[in-house]
Amino acid sequence: QTVHEGRIYQLKLFCDKDYPEKPPSVRFHSRINMTCVNHETGVVEPKKFGLLANWQREYTMEDLLTQLKKEMAAPHNRKLVQ
């Protein structure tokens, strides 16, 4: 029941040499309108996305993707025009 339902999004997760101590960078290649995503670059901004801002070593890629999915369904994102 969101504007994202039925859509397929492509994103890239990049882990540098400091992973898992530091979070991966996340960038949508598909255009998406979310409050935590830079509209010009598609980069998920860590300061606006809690999991990246409060990254812990034990977090996994699955945790990251699950949290992004929850963020899409959050009230402030679920009705944004795509």
Side-chain angles (χ1 to χ4, degrees):
Q1 301 293 340
T2 74
V3 293
H4 303 288
E5 193 168 327
R7 293 177 180 249
I8 297 174
Y9 295 101
Q10 182 181 29
L11 63 135
K12 184 176 185 177
L13 306 174
F14 178 76
C15 302
D16 68 11
K17 61 181 174 47
D18 296 325
Y19 177 82
E21 298 302 324
K22 293 190 178 174
S25 60
V26 183
R27 180 174 175 260
F28 278 87
H29 285 268
S30 305
R31 206 154 190 54
I32 188 167
N33 188 11
M34 289 174 59
T35 57
C36 62
V37 177
N38 181 298
H39 299 293
E40 294 177 14
T41 64
V43 171
V44 177
E45 298 177 356
K47 291 180 181 179
K48 296 181 179 179
F49 186 63
L51 189 95
L52 293 178
N54 302 303
W55 183 259
Q56 295 180 20
R57 187 182 203 292
E58 52 274 359
Y59 290 162
T60 66
M61 294 297 124
E62 182 180 4
D63 295 328
L64 178 60
L65 294 171
T66 300
Q67 194 60 40
L68 277 172
K69 184 178 176 184
K70 287 180 183 176
E71 186 70 16
M72 289 176 175
H76 56 274
N77 284 318
R78 69 181 302 145
K79 300 293 182 187
L80 290 177
V81 176
Q82 296 300 308

